[in-house]
Amino acid sequence: MASYSPAATQDESNGAKPRSPDESMQLKKEISLLNGVCLIVGNMIGSGIFVSPKGVLIHSASYGLSLVVWTVGGIFSVFGALCYAELGTTITKSGASYAYILEAFGGFMAFIRLWTSLLIIEPTSQAIIAITFSNYMVQPIFPTCIAPYSANRLLAAACICLLTFVNCAYVKWGTRVQDFFTYAKVLALIAVIITGLVKIGQGRTQHFEGMFEGSSQDPGHIALALYSALFSYSGWDTLNFVTEEIKNPERNLPLAIAISMPIVTVIYILTNVAYYAILPMNAILDSDAVAVTFADQVFGVMNWTIPLAVALSCFGGLNASILASSRLFFVGSREGHLPDSLSMIHIHRYTPVPALLFNGIMALIYLCVEDVFRLINYYSFSYWFFVGLSILGQLYLRWKQPDRKRPLKLSLFFPIVFCVLSVFLVVVPLYSDTINSLIGIGIALSGVPVYFLCCYTPANRRPLRLRILIAKCGLLIQKMCFSVVTEMDKTE
């Protein structure tokens, strides 16, 4: 872990009011229990459940088995989320798996986790969410043709810039945006669920007769179906990225997870039941947007509400992703794995403006990649590997530090089961998508020389020009963003 001294605030020279001696220059605890629930639910429920829940169905080959897979995926995700609840209340740092790997296994593995997120996971996923938002927003303007490429990408860029600004302005603005769009997407799914249940109550149950007929018997296909379900449930670690900003985290972090996970699991299962009640299997498998096909059949003149709901869902999911990933870069900088300028916060707004701008710039760069959707295939292996490694770290810390204070202490059954299944999640992409998985591993390993040059090597032995460049850039960023390096919590 890197040590540093807080930079001078220069309040007086900038004309700002000097801070009181008792006020620390840290991120403020402004995320309530409700905000936490909305962050988790809003990030887990993205566009996938509206657009392409067919990944599970295509591999399971029957409605009955697919619902079983969705249920098992939800239970497994609850196990992982509970493990993160213990980790988050034991290691009270933001950064989620990065912070936990750093604590358990040291700087090298933590840096590789950070490098993978910086290079592929966060900017790629944000660019794709923004493009999906843009697709559904411009669809009504170009109903009979494909929207121009430039119009689509410019709207996606505007979406990223707007949400970056909102989160730079105040943490409360970001959480209010998140709350509103989470309510909107949940209400849209409730409308789908109620419609489906009403149709079932009216006797439309023919699609559920012999619902297990034709179920896949191939363990490989069932494994891929479960993998698709688990990928749809990803996002349950969102709140752990902002642990330091949660009010009373020892209570609200595990409680938010305990509330969110059943909500999302029930919504996912019932939404699929609604789809299956209305649409035959071939219609679901052939549809590019299942919820839109569903709405065309049952919502009549109100079918426009579903494309709007998809866009709102993407907007809320992108906001949660920006909020979480900027904290990852902020913590990585604070620990000495990224330039110090990324651990600065605005002296009045207490938001990590440089980290947010860096995150936004990276997402905008990836918007310029025409085939950005291919990049998402490269990180499945890395994502599940590092999630599993962080929970393996939970077991390691239980053994290495048995007397450490743990406000929430689970049975070892939960992390052991999750670690075993994480091996499955790491092996599946290697089996099903070998080339892309190997490329993802190569991207992760590309961080090894960067770590030894920029982190492991003492500062006085690094190239002089590199040190001068970083120092000048840091000073420029500090002045432009009106920010200073954050102070560490006295308890850490």
Side-chain angles (χ1 to χ4, degrees):
M1 184 185 301
S3 60
Y4 57 86
S5 299
T9 61
Q10 299 180 343
D11 284 347
E12 294 179 1
S13 62
N14 286 314
K17 294 181 180 179
R19 293 184 295 114
S20 65
D22 297 331
E23 187 177 10
S24 61
M25 185 53 65
Q26 297 173 324
L27 298 174
K28 302 304 176 185
K29 294 184 180 294
E30 297 188 88
I31 297 177
S32 66
L33 175 61
L34 178 61
N35 297 148
V37 171
C38 289
L39 270 172
I40 298 173
V41 173
N43 204 18
M44 288 183 71
I45 301 178
S47 60
I49 191 63
F50 292 98
V51 179
S52 56
K54 60 185 180 183
V56 176
L57 185 59
I58 197 169
H59 293 296
S60 57
S62 73
Y63 283 166
L65 183 58
S66 70
L67 291 175
V68 171
V69 169
W70 278 107
T71 304
V72 172
I75 293 170
F76 176 72
S77 298
V78 169
F79 276 36
L82 288 174
C83 292
Y84 264 49
E86 178 182 319
L87 284 166
T89 53
T90 304
I91 304 168
T92 54
K93 293 180 182 179
S94 298
S97 59
Y98 167 77
Y100 310 145
I101 293 170
L102 178 67
E103 185 84 10
F105 302 114
F108 175 72
M109 290 304 300
F111 178 82
I112 299 301
R113 160 70 175 95
L114 180 65
W115 180 257
T116 306
S117 292
L118 182 153
L119 214 56
I120 285 290
I121 296 177
E122 304 301 343
T124 300
S125 59
Q126 288 172 24
I128 288 173
I129 295 170
I131 291 169
T132 306
F133 164 81
S134 178
N135 284 338
Y136 279 88
M137 289 300 291
V138 301
Q139 186 180 5
I141 303 173
F142 301 94
T144 60
C145 62
I146 300 174
Y149 174 85
S150 56
N152 187 300
R153 295 300 169 108
L154 284 172
L155 182 57
C159 175
I160 291 171
C161 292
L162 174 61
L163 287 174
T164 300
F165 166 76
V166 166
N167 282 279
C168 283
Y170 291 103
V171 174
K172 275 294 181 188
W173 286 15
T175 56
R176 285 171 183 165
V177 167
Q178 191 61 45
D179 293 351
F180 174 79
F181 285 96
T182 299
Y183 300 151
K185 70 175 74 178
V186 169
L187 287 174
L189 287 173
I190 288 174
V192 170
I193 290 168
I194 291 175
T195 303
L197 294 179
V198 167
K199 293 294 184 181
I200 291 173
Q202 292 173 347
R204 191 161 181 167
T205 59
Q206 64 270 27
H207 294 160
F208 296 108
E209 295 172 2
M211 58 191 300
F212 285 93
E213 289 181 7
S215 296
S216 176
Q217 305 293 323
D218 185 344
H221 287 168
I222 296 172
L224 289 171
L226 181 58
Y227 187 81
S228 297
L230 290 169
F231 198 81
S232 297
Y233 280 109
S234 63
W236 42 258
D237 57 348
T238 304
L239 198 57
N240 295 72
F241 282 96
V242 294
T243 303
E244 295 171 31
E245 297 170 76
I246 303 172
K247 298 175 181 176
N248 190 9
E250 292 183 359
R251 171 186 177 271
N252 287 340
L253 175 61
L255 192 54
I257 289 172
I259 294 171
S260 304
M261 294 306 297
I263 290 174
V264 174
T265 303
V266 170
I267 285 176
Y268 273 13
I269 293 171
L270 291 181
T271 300
N272 279 283
V273 168
Y275 290 156
Y276 298 166
I278 303 299
L279 302 173
M281 187 179 297
N282 61 341
I284 294 176
L285 296 179
D286 292 340
S287 175
D288 292 326
V290 175
V292 175
T293 305
F294 176 92
D296 289 341
Q297 292 205 17
V298 298
F299 283 0
V301 295
M302 296 298 291
N303 62 353
W304 58 269
T305 57
I306 293 300
L308 177 62
V310 176
L312 295 179
S313 181
C314 292
F315 197 83
L318 181 58
N319 182 71
S321 181
I322 288 173
L323 182 68
S325 59
S326 64
R327 272 50 175 190
L328 173 62
F329 301 143
F330 170 84
V331 174
S333 169
R334 195 178 62 185
E335 301 294 347
H337 288 158
L338 291 175
D340 287 346
S341 55
L342 296 183
S343 63
M344 294 179 183
I345 60 175
H346 194 279
I347 65 172
H348 298 312
R349 302 178 187 274
Y350 299 99
T351 54
V353 174
L356 283 159
L357 293 178
F358 173 76
N359 177 80
I361 290 169
M362 288 295 293
L364 291 175
I365 290 172
Y366 277 71
L367 273 183
C368 300
V369 179
E370 185 169 355
D371 198 10
V372 67
F373 286 85
R374 280 196 63 188
L375 299 178
I376 206 75
N377 298 324
Y378 298 154
Y379 80 72
S380 296
F381 172 90
S382 299
Y383 175 81
W384 289 112
F385 173 79
F386 287 115
V387 169
L389 187 63
S390 62
I391 294 180
L392 181 63
Q394 179 184 7
L395 293 171
Y396 175 76
L397 291 174
R398 283 281 195 98
W399 169 66
K400 198 73 175 177
Q401 302 173 4
D403 299 325
R404 183 169 183 164
K405 180 185 176 184
R406 292 177 172 84
L408 173 65
K409 191 171 183 178
L410 298 174
S411 164
L412 288 176
F413 171 78
F414 293 97
I416 289 173
V417 168
F418 192 93
C419 284
V420 171
L421 292 179
S422 292
V423 175
F424 155 78
L425 291 173
V426 170
V427 170
V428 165
L430 281 173
Y431 160 77
S432 63
D433 198 7
T434 306
I435 300 300
N436 285 330
S437 297
L438 291 176
I439 293 173
I441 294 171
I443 291 170
L445 293 178
S446 70
V448 174
V450 179
Y451 172 79
F452 283 101
L453 175 64
C454 299
C455 301
Y456 184 79
T457 304
N460 59 358
R461 296 181 61 186
R462 297 171 196 166
L464 180 60
R465 290 186 179 181
L466 178 63
R467 284 184 280 154
I468 293 173
L469 177 63
I470 292 175
K472 287 183 176 179
C473 290
L475 183 60
L476 178 64
I477 291 170
Q478 184 170 15
K479 290 179 177 179
M480 290 180 62
C481 298
F482 209 42
S483 302
V484 295
V485 176
T486 185
E487 300 172 12
M488 290 291 287
D489 193 333
K490 295 176 182 179
T491 61
E492 294 181 359

